[in-house]
Amino acid sequence: MEFLTNGPVDPGVILPFLAAVVLIELTPGPNMGWLALVSLSQGRTAGLAAVAGITLGLTLWMLAAAFGLTEIVLAWPALYQAVRWAGVGFLLWLAWEAWKGEGDPARAAPETRDRRRALFLRGLTANLLNPKAALFYIALLPGFMRPDYGPALPQALTLGGIHVAVSVAIHGLIVVTAARVSRLGAVSQGASVRALMAGGLVLIAGWTAWETRL
């Protein structure tokens, strides 16, 4: 309680900020669909490896925003568009992999360190190429910061840390739920799941392209 009253952030903004980030993280997006696919096909450990990569990417965007670096991306339209379309292309590539059978629960890949590393790097790449993260911190974060309360950097880092923690909790829940569904044998048609997940990722790629346009 002492941290809430004497910390770097105005206590009055914490609950509204939490509500905002929970709603944002619960909105369907590229991370959700891909994590569900990985966890259905390869289990909880593989899904958590992907979550670790996604979290690192999100944390790097948060730190960049806290130190003002994301404004450079938004200030240079060509750079922003390059990141944006690279992210869309990466989602389409993941969809192609799912369609080919990378995500087929009927023939899940064996659990290996190399496999976990690959999933970690894919999660990291997906978030580094996600301009929505930059837009989130540029558009939403300043609305919960109080210039008269204290220095901006501690406020940005604290609120950003809260967002990352919420993201980990929700992504972890998706992984655990999808892995449990797979263990219960609820996924019986591998080809159908591949088609569903690939189609979902294609739709998410299109949605991401639309939502991140400037």
Side-chain angles (χ1 to χ4, degrees):
M1 293 298 294
E2 184 177 352
F3 175 79
L4 295 179
T5 56
N6 299 317
V9 176
D10 180 359
V13 308
I14 292 179
L15 286 180
F17 182 75
L18 270 174
V21 298
V22 167
L23 287 174
I24 289 172
E25 288 299 322
L26 287 176
T27 302
N31 291 332
M32 281 190 175
W34 182 61
L35 285 174
L37 171 63
V38 169
S39 304
L40 281 169
S41 62
Q42 299 173 47
R44 183 176 61 184
T45 304
L48 292 177
V51 170
I54 288 171
T55 302
L56 177 57
L58 187 61
T59 301
L60 292 175
W61 273 118
M62 183 268 287
L63 292 174
F67 288 95
L69 298 179
T70 50
E71 295 180 7
I72 298 175
V73 176
L74 296 178
W76 290 76
L79 178 58
Y80 176 83
Q81 292 299 332
V83 173
R84 175 180 175 236
W85 288 111
V88 171
F90 189 71
L91 287 171
L92 293 174
W93 179 65
L94 291 177
W96 174 245
E97 281 200 333
W99 176 257
K100 288 193 302 180
E102 285 286 326
D104 190 345
R107 57 186 188 92
E111 190 63 48
T112 64
R113 181 176 297 180
D114 287 344
R115 188 63 179 166
R116 292 193 297 270
R117 184 184 298 113
L119 290 168
F120 172 86
L121 291 175
R122 288 183 187 181
L124 173 61
T125 303
N127 261 259
L128 290 179
L129 296 177
N130 180 13
K132 282 194 68 181
L135 290 174
F136 169 85
Y137 288 115
I138 292 294
L140 184 67
L141 205 61
F144 292 91
M145 295 171 60
R146 301 291 180 262
D148 57 344
Y149 193 82
L153 181 58
Q155 293 188 63
L157 291 174
T158 302
L159 293 174
I162 291 173
H163 175 227
V164 171
V166 169
S167 170
V168 170
I170 291 176
H171 291 159
L173 180 61
I174 292 169
V175 166
V176 171
T177 302
R180 181 170 299 177
V181 168
S182 180
R183 287 200 305 272
L184 291 174
V187 181
S188 57
Q189 300 296 325
S192 298
V193 172
R194 288 203 313 271
L196 179 63
M197 291 299 181
L201 286 169
V202 169
L203 290 175
I204 291 169
W207 177 80
T208 300
W210 177 261
E211 286 293 314
T212 56
R213 71 195 190 285
L214 289 179

Short mmCIF file of all heavy atoms in Angstrom, two decimals, residues 25 31 52-64 123-124 127-128 130 133-134 136-137 160 163-168 171:
data_model
loop_
_atom_site.label_atom_id
_atom_site.label_comp_id
_atom_site.label_asym_id
_atom_site.label_seq_id
_atom_site.Cartn_x
_atom_site.Cartn_y
_atom_site.Cartn_z
N GLU A 25 -5.52 -5.85 -23.91
CA GLU A 25 -4.88 -7.16 -24.05
C GLU A 25 -5.88 -8.27 -24.35
O GLU A 25 -5.52 -9.29 -24.93
CB GLU A 25 -4.09 -7.50 -22.78
CG GLU A 25 -2.83 -6.68 -22.60
CD GLU A 25 -1.83 -6.88 -23.74
OE1 GLU A 25 -1.70 -8.02 -24.23
OE2 GLU A 25 -1.21 -5.90 -24.15
N ASN A 31 -0.88 -11.93 -31.26
CA ASN A 31 -0.28 -12.76 -30.22
C ASN A 31 -1.23 -13.87 -29.77
O ASN A 31 -0.81 -15.01 -29.56
CB ASN A 31 0.12 -11.90 -29.02
CG ASN A 31 1.27 -10.97 -29.34
OD1 ASN A 31 2.09 -11.27 -30.20
ND2 ASN A 31 1.33 -9.83 -28.68
N ALA A 52 7.59 -15.82 -23.62
CA ALA A 52 8.82 -15.14 -23.19
C ALA A 52 9.34 -14.22 -24.29
O ALA A 52 9.77 -13.09 -24.02
CB ALA A 52 9.87 -16.17 -22.80
N GLY A 53 9.32 -14.70 -25.53
CA GLY A 53 9.77 -13.86 -26.64
C GLY A 53 8.87 -12.65 -26.84
O GLY A 53 9.35 -11.53 -27.05
N ILE A 54 7.56 -12.87 -26.79
CA ILE A 54 6.60 -11.77 -26.93
C ILE A 54 6.82 -10.73 -25.83
O ILE A 54 6.81 -9.52 -26.08
CB ILE A 54 5.17 -12.32 -26.89
CG1 ILE A 54 4.86 -13.08 -28.18
CG2 ILE A 54 4.15 -11.21 -26.66
CD1 ILE A 54 3.55 -13.83 -28.14
N THR A 55 7.05 -11.21 -24.62
CA THR A 55 7.23 -10.30 -23.48
C THR A 55 8.49 -9.46 -23.64
O THR A 55 8.49 -8.26 -23.34
CB THR A 55 7.29 -11.10 -22.17
OG1 THR A 55 6.08 -11.87 -22.03
CG2 THR A 55 7.43 -10.17 -20.97
N LEU A 56 9.58 -10.08 -24.10
CA LEU A 56 10.80 -9.32 -24.31
C LEU A 56 10.59 -8.24 -25.37
O LEU A 56 11.02 -7.10 -25.21
CB LEU A 56 11.94 -10.25 -24.73
CG LEU A 56 13.28 -9.56 -25.05
CD1 LEU A 56 13.76 -8.72 -23.85
CD2 LEU A 56 14.33 -10.57 -25.46
N GLY A 57 9.92 -8.60 -26.47
CA GLY A 57 9.64 -7.60 -27.51
C GLY A 57 8.82 -6.44 -26.98
O GLY A 57 9.11 -5.28 -27.26
N LEU A 58 7.78 -6.77 -26.20
CA LEU A 58 6.94 -5.72 -25.62
C LEU A 58 7.73 -4.86 -24.65
O LEU A 58 7.57 -3.63 -24.61
CB LEU A 58 5.75 -6.37 -24.91
CG LEU A 58 4.66 -5.43 -24.40
CD1 LEU A 58 4.03 -4.66 -25.55
CD2 LEU A 58 3.60 -6.22 -23.63
N THR A 59 8.61 -5.49 -23.87
CA THR A 59 9.42 -4.73 -22.91
C THR A 59 10.37 -3.78 -23.62
O THR A 59 10.58 -2.64 -23.18
CB THR A 59 10.22 -5.71 -22.02
OG1 THR A 59 9.31 -6.57 -21.33
CG2 THR A 59 11.07 -4.95 -21.01
N LEU A 60 10.94 -4.22 -24.74
CA LEU A 60 11.84 -3.34 -25.51
C LEU A 60 11.08 -2.14 -26.07
O LEU A 60 11.59 -1.01 -26.05
CB LEU A 60 12.51 -4.13 -26.63
CG LEU A 60 13.51 -5.20 -26.17
CD1 LEU A 60 14.03 -6.00 -27.36
CD2 LEU A 60 14.67 -4.55 -25.43
N TRP A 61 9.84 -2.36 -26.56
CA TRP A 61 9.03 -1.23 -27.01
C TRP A 61 8.71 -0.29 -25.85
O TRP A 61 8.72 0.94 -26.01
CB TRP A 61 7.72 -1.74 -27.62
CG TRP A 61 7.77 -2.09 -29.07
CD1 TRP A 61 7.56 -3.31 -29.65
CD2 TRP A 61 8.02 -1.20 -30.17
NE1 TRP A 61 7.68 -3.23 -31.02
CE2 TRP A 61 7.96 -1.94 -31.36
CE3 TRP A 61 8.30 0.17 -30.25
CZ2 TRP A 61 8.15 -1.38 -32.62
CZ3 TRP A 61 8.50 0.73 -31.52
CH2 TRP A 61 8.42 -0.04 -32.67
N MET A 62 8.43 -0.86 -24.68
CA MET A 62 8.12 -0.04 -23.52
C MET A 62 9.31 0.82 -23.12
O MET A 62 9.17 2.03 -22.85
CB MET A 62 7.70 -0.95 -22.35
CG MET A 62 7.28 -0.19 -21.09
SD MET A 62 8.64 0.10 -19.92
CE MET A 62 8.86 -1.56 -19.26
N LEU A 63 10.49 0.23 -23.10
CA LEU A 63 11.69 1.00 -22.75
C LEU A 63 11.98 2.07 -23.79
O LEU A 63 12.36 3.20 -23.45
CB LEU A 63 12.88 0.06 -22.60
CG LEU A 63 12.82 -0.91 -21.41
CD1 LEU A 63 13.99 -1.90 -21.47
CD2 LEU A 63 12.84 -0.15 -20.09
N ALA A 64 11.79 1.72 -25.06
CA ALA A 64 12.00 2.70 -26.13
C ALA A 64 11.04 3.87 -25.97
O ALA A 64 11.42 5.04 -26.16
CB ALA A 64 11.80 2.04 -27.50
N GLY A 123 8.41 -15.15 -31.30
CA GLY A 123 7.62 -14.25 -30.48
C GLY A 123 8.26 -12.88 -30.36
O GLY A 123 7.58 -11.85 -30.44
N LEU A 124 9.58 -12.87 -30.20
CA LEU A 124 10.30 -11.60 -30.12
C LEU A 124 10.17 -10.82 -31.43
O LEU A 124 9.87 -9.62 -31.42
CB LEU A 124 11.78 -11.88 -29.82
CG LEU A 124 12.73 -10.69 -29.86
CD1 LEU A 124 12.34 -9.63 -28.83
CD2 LEU A 124 14.17 -11.16 -29.63
N ASN A 127 6.74 -9.20 -32.06
CA ASN A 127 6.44 -7.99 -31.31
C ASN A 127 7.32 -6.82 -31.69
O ASN A 127 6.89 -5.67 -31.66
CB ASN A 127 6.54 -8.26 -29.81
CG ASN A 127 5.17 -8.50 -29.20
OD1 ASN A 127 4.58 -7.64 -28.59
ND2 ASN A 127 4.65 -9.69 -29.42
N LEU A 128 8.55 -7.09 -32.09
CA LEU A 128 9.39 -5.99 -32.56
C LEU A 128 8.87 -5.42 -33.88
O LEU A 128 9.12 -4.25 -34.19
CB LEU A 128 10.83 -6.48 -32.73
CG LEU A 128 11.59 -6.79 -31.44
CD1 LEU A 128 13.00 -7.28 -31.76
CD2 LEU A 128 11.65 -5.57 -30.52
N ASN A 130 5.70 -5.12 -34.52
CA ASN A 130 4.31 -4.76 -34.24
C ASN A 130 4.21 -3.28 -33.89
O ASN A 130 4.44 -2.89 -32.74
CB ASN A 130 3.77 -5.61 -33.09
CG ASN A 130 2.33 -5.29 -32.76
OD1 ASN A 130 1.64 -4.61 -33.52
ND2 ASN A 130 1.87 -5.78 -31.63
N ALA A 133 2.38 -1.70 -30.71
CA ALA A 133 3.01 -1.50 -29.41
C ALA A 133 3.50 -0.06 -29.27
O ALA A 133 3.31 0.58 -28.23
CB ALA A 133 4.17 -2.47 -29.23
N ALA A 134 4.12 0.46 -30.32
CA ALA A 134 4.57 1.86 -30.29
C ALA A 134 3.38 2.80 -30.18
O ALA A 134 3.40 3.77 -29.39
CB ALA A 134 5.37 2.18 -31.55
N PHE A 136 0.51 2.16 -28.88
CA PHE A 136 -0.05 2.03 -27.53
C PHE A 136 0.64 2.98 -26.55
O PHE A 136 0.01 3.74 -25.82
CB PHE A 136 0.07 0.59 -27.04
CG PHE A 136 -0.24 0.43 -25.57
CD1 PHE A 136 -1.54 0.28 -25.14
CD2 PHE A 136 0.79 0.44 -24.63
CE1 PHE A 136 -1.82 0.13 -23.78
CE2 PHE A 136 0.52 0.29 -23.28
CZ PHE A 136 -0.79 0.14 -22.85
N TYR A 137 1.97 2.93 -26.56
CA TYR A 137 2.71 3.74 -25.60
C TYR A 137 2.67 5.23 -25.93
O TYR A 137 2.70 6.07 -25.03
CB TYR A 137 4.15 3.24 -25.50
CG TYR A 137 4.25 1.92 -24.78
CD1 TYR A 137 4.68 0.77 -25.44
CD2 TYR A 137 3.90 1.81 -23.45
CE1 TYR A 137 4.75 -0.44 -24.80
CE2 TYR A 137 3.97 0.60 -22.79
CZ TYR A 137 4.40 -0.52 -23.46
OH TYR A 137 4.46 -1.73 -22.81
N GLY A 160 4.42 1.22 -17.71
CA GLY A 160 4.81 0.23 -18.71
C GLY A 160 5.03 -1.14 -18.10
O GLY A 160 4.66 -2.16 -18.69
N HIS A 163 1.74 -2.77 -17.55
CA HIS A 163 1.21 -3.30 -18.82
C HIS A 163 1.88 -4.61 -19.18
O HIS A 163 1.21 -5.57 -19.60
CB HIS A 163 1.42 -2.27 -19.93
CG HIS A 163 1.00 -2.77 -21.27
ND1 HIS A 163 1.80 -2.62 -22.39
CD2 HIS A 163 -0.09 -3.46 -21.68
CE1 HIS A 163 1.19 -3.17 -23.42
NE2 HIS A 163 0.05 -3.68 -23.03
N VAL A 164 3.19 -4.68 -19.04
CA VAL A 164 3.90 -5.92 -19.38
C VAL A 164 3.42 -7.06 -18.47
O VAL A 164 3.22 -8.19 -18.93
CB VAL A 164 5.42 -5.72 -19.26
CG1 VAL A 164 6.16 -7.05 -19.38
CG2 VAL A 164 5.91 -4.75 -20.33
N ALA A 165 3.23 -6.78 -17.17
CA ALA A 165 2.77 -7.81 -16.24
C ALA A 165 1.39 -8.32 -16.62
O ALA A 165 1.12 -9.54 -16.58
CB ALA A 165 2.77 -7.26 -14.82
N VAL A 166 0.49 -7.42 -16.99
CA VAL A 166 -0.85 -7.83 -17.41
C VAL A 166 -0.77 -8.68 -18.68
O VAL A 166 -1.46 -9.69 -18.81
CB VAL A 166 -1.74 -6.59 -17.64
CG1 VAL A 166 -3.05 -6.98 -18.33
CG2 VAL A 166 -2.03 -5.89 -16.32
N SER A 167 0.10 -8.27 -19.60
CA SER A 167 0.28 -9.02 -20.83
C SER A 167 0.74 -10.44 -20.55
O SER A 167 0.23 -11.41 -21.13
CB SER A 167 1.29 -8.30 -21.73
OG SER A 167 1.68 -9.10 -22.82
N VAL A 168 1.71 -10.60 -19.65
CA VAL A 168 2.22 -11.93 -19.29
C VAL A 168 1.10 -12.79 -18.71
O VAL A 168 0.96 -13.97 -19.06
CB VAL A 168 3.39 -11.81 -18.30
CG1 VAL A 168 3.76 -13.18 -17.75
CG2 VAL A 168 4.61 -11.18 -18.97
N HIS A 171 -1.45 -13.69 -21.60
CA HIS A 171 -0.85 -14.64 -22.54
C HIS A 171 -0.60 -15.99 -21.89
O HIS A 171 -0.79 -17.04 -22.53
CB HIS A 171 0.47 -14.07 -23.07
CG HIS A 171 0.28 -12.89 -23.97
ND1 HIS A 171 1.27 -11.96 -24.21
CD2 HIS A 171 -0.79 -12.46 -24.68
CE1 HIS A 171 0.83 -11.04 -25.04
NE2 HIS A 171 -0.42 -11.33 -25.34
#
